[in-house]
Every structure is written in C-alpha cells, then in structure tokens.
Amino acid sequence: MRRCAGYEEVFQVGLGKSGTTTTQKFFTDRYDYNATCGDELAVLIQAEADARRPLLDAARARCPHFYIAELSRVYFAKDSIALQLTHLNALRVEAPTALFVHCARNTSKWLSSVTRWNNLQERLAQRDLPGLPRGVGRSWEELREWYDGVNAHVAFTFAHRPNYVRVNVDEPASLRALERFCGFNPDQPYRWVAQNVNRRVPRVGR
C-alpha cells in the first residue's frame, strides 16, 4: 500500500478554502488512503468527543487508513465543528502514526475565496466557533484575525514535530516540498491543478 512517508492516516488540519481540495487530490492520486469515507469523519469524531469516548476508534473502524480533508464543518445548519481548535492536541496524541497536513494560504487570498464561495462568510459569522463567536466574522478584519489565529494555533501545536507539514497551494516551492516529504520521485513531479476554485476573485481590502 502506498503511504506518504509511511504514515498510516492523514489529517488535513487547515481551514476550508485554503487549498484543501487541491491537496486532497494529490493524496488520492498518488496514495492509498480512504478519502471518500474520510469526508464524513469530522462529524463522527465530534460525536465521539461529545460522548466522551475515544476520538478515533469509531473512525478507524468505519474507515481504516483514512484521509480527512477537513476537520471543520460549517456547511449545514447544525454544524459548528472545528476540531483543529477544540481537540487538536488530543487527536495528535491518539494518532502517533498519523501525518498532519496543514493547508494555509496567504490570508488575503483566503478572504477573497471565502467571500465569493456561496454564503460561507455568513455561515462562519452565524456559528459559535472558538475565536469566532456568533455574530463575529462579517467584516474582513474579523475574519483575517481569526484565520491568522487558527494557523498560528495549529503551527504552535506541531512545532518541532516530524509528522507535520505545512502547505501553501499558491507557492510551487511549497508543493514540491510536500512531494519530497512524501518521498515522491523528483524525476516525475506531480502535475498540480487547482481544484474547487472560485471563478471570480474580488479586489482584496474592503
């Protein structure tokens, strides 16, 4: 079975619209992780946390060798899940053989993408998330501060740990670094194609 650097499971711990789908395609194209069933695991892990059960037993039973593309879920009316803010260290401890991939873009590009993606900005503002209580997030400055804080929190949690890699999909050097980290053949570089992109990007700075 093909695994990135031999890691049995992969958690993508960045926020949506940070290049998560583009990065997931790299892993599904080149490695044998269960990404399809992994898409549903954030809700299951949150349910296990709420029930005070081990976070990953049910996820592993349902989806061995998973790739979880998003630990945050704000897409449906009752979802206010941000496991990378509420349970990140617990996940790290329970998954010593897992790789944690952190998608993080330039903040202005992330803001542009969020405000153009359906009503994602409004959904974020309506949720009650760590660092983003209900009613906060309707301005770019509030979202900017939150995004930078989330990325700083994730990076701090994994400082100096070998099972963590940060990826900026807008920087070719960062993408090549991920390939090298995974043990990809440098003579056969992966062809990166942006996925799930907005068709129009507004001017940043409002």
Side-chain angles (χ1 to χ4, degrees):
M1 301 292 285
R2 297 172 299 171
R3 301 274 186 259
C4 171
Y7 288 103
E8 289 299 305
E9 303 155 344
V10 181
F11 296 86
Q12 193 293 117
V13 292
L15 295 174
K17 304 312 297 175
S18 295
T20 58
T21 307
T22 300
T23 302
Q24 179 179 2
K25 190 171 190 304
F26 167 73
F27 277 91
T28 56
D29 282 353
R30 296 300 182 184
Y31 300 102
D32 297 318
Y33 295 102
N34 292 332
T36 301
C37 59
D39 285 342
E40 305 302 321
L41 294 186
V43 175
L44 177 59
I45 293 171
Q46 184 65 61
E48 296 298 279
D50 294 342
R52 300 185 181 277
R53 292 190 288 263
L55 296 180
L56 298 178
D57 287 359
R60 287 177 173 137
R62 180 179 299 183
C63 188
H65 307 300
F66 55 68
Y67 179 96
I68 301 178
E70 290 193 28
L71 282 172
S72 59
R73 290 284 297 241
V74 295
Y75 303 112
F76 301 101
K78 296 183 180 180
D79 281 351
S80 292
I81 297 173
L83 289 162
Q84 64 267 76
L85 292 175
T86 59
H87 292 81
L88 185 57
N89 194 59
L91 289 169
R92 181 188 64 77
V93 171
E94 289 196 28
T97 63
L99 172 63
F100 291 81
V101 177
H102 179 190
C103 290
R105 304 179 70 191
N106 170 277
T107 305
S108 294
K109 290 185 177 181
W110 179 79
L111 287 166
S112 294
S113 188
V114 166
T115 55
R116 295 298 298 174
W117 193 255
N118 297 321
N119 63 340
L120 179 54
Q121 182 177 7
E122 183 60 25
R123 289 202 301 269
L124 288 169
Q126 291 173 354
R127 300 300 185 260
D128 185 8
L129 300 168
L132 200 72
R134 188 171 289 109
V136 179
R138 291 190 172 92
S139 76
W140 279 31
E141 190 54 42
E142 290 170 346
L143 279 183
R144 183 187 303 276
E145 182 179 354
W146 185 65
Y147 186 67
D148 290 342
V150 171
N151 289 328
H153 166 73
V154 173
F156 176 80
T157 300
F158 286 97
H160 310 296
R161 297 187 184 277
N163 62 330
Y164 166 82
V165 59
R166 183 161 172 159
V167 180
N168 184 338
V169 296
D170 298 316
E171 296 181 357
S174 179
L175 299 177
R176 298 302 177 216
L178 175 60
E179 294 177 30
R180 291 193 298 272
F181 180 93
C182 286
F184 204 67
N185 185 346
D187 296 326
Q188 298 178 328
Y190 179 72
R191 183 175 179 270
W192 291 88
V193 178
Q195 305 292 312
N196 205 27
V197 298
N198 296 312
R199 296 305 178 188
R200 293 184 298 156
V201 178
R203 181 176 59 86
V204 174
R206 73 176 182 185

